[in-house]
């Protein structure tokens, strides 16, 4: 079992940056692929970025490539999402997720979810 706790969200102006963190409980963090999803009001939850167990392999939604960076520190049981050049349309609740399978953009691959963290980008 893995418990995930996100932090680092908040309000930022368009063009600004934020870094989200997701701390995982337990000693098995390194056995999970990790990802970030987001859900804007009235929309489906969508994949943002994923990172493999080792941290070597990453993947991104096309809409965030070149602006967002996912990384992990297995010694600290933490995954990060660095978000740069934020747009108002990036406003959403951001969720951290863990999978015992390989990383994918499909929600059903993920076994554990954090509680979500609000990110609001103002104009």
């Amino acid at each position: 079992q893995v418990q995930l706790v996100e932090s680092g969200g908040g309000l930022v102006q368009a063009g600004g940056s934020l870094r989200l963190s997701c701390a995982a409980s337990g000693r098995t963090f390194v056995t999970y692929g990790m990802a970030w999803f987001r859900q804007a009001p009235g929309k489906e939850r969508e994949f943002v970025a994923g990172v493999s167990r080792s941290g070597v392999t990453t993947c991104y939604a096309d809409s965030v490539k070149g602006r967002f960076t996912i990384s992990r520190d297995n010694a600290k049981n933490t995954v990060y999402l660095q978000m740069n050049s934020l747009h108002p349309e990036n406003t959403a609740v951001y969720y951290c997720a863990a999978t015992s399978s390989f990383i994918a953009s499909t929600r059903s691959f993920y076994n554990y979810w954090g509680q979500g963290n609000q990110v609001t980008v103002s104009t």
Side-chain angles (χ1 to χ4, degrees):
Q1 185 110 7
V2 176
Q3 291 186 326
L4 306 172
V5 179
E6 300 104 335
S7 61
L11 175 65
V12 64
Q13 287 189 326
S17 299
L18 279 176
R19 188 176 81 155
L20 302 181
S21 300
C22 173
S25 65
R27 300 179 182 179
T28 59
F29 178 71
V30 71
T31 67
Y32 290 92
M34 300 298 296
W36 290 93
F37 285 74
R38 66 187 177 189
Q39 188 165 18
K43 294 188 177 181
E44 294 288 318
R45 192 173 299 187
E46 64 176 3
F47 174 80
V48 176
V51 61
S52 62
R53 296 176 182 89
S54 65
V56 171
T57 302
T58 58
C59 55
Y60 297 91
D62 288 343
S63 61
V64 306
K65 281 181 182 176
R67 298 188 299 118
F68 290 14
T69 303
I70 189 171
S71 61
R72 66 189 295 163
D73 185 337
N74 287 339
K76 295 183 178 179
N77 282 13
T78 302
V79 61
Y80 304 98
L81 184 67
Q82 178 67 44
M83 305 184 291
N84 298 330
S85 301
L86 283 161
H87 305 154
E89 53 264 37
N90 298 141
T91 294
V93 177
Y94 284 72
Y95 296 89
C96 174
T99 177
S100 54
S101 180
F102 49 87
I103 54 172
S105 60
T106 306
R107 288 174 57 183
S108 60
F109 273 71
Y110 294 85
N111 312 93
Y112 303 101
W113 293 84
Q115 81 285 357
N117 204 334
Q118 178 70 47
V119 171
T120 302
V121 184
S122 64
T123 55

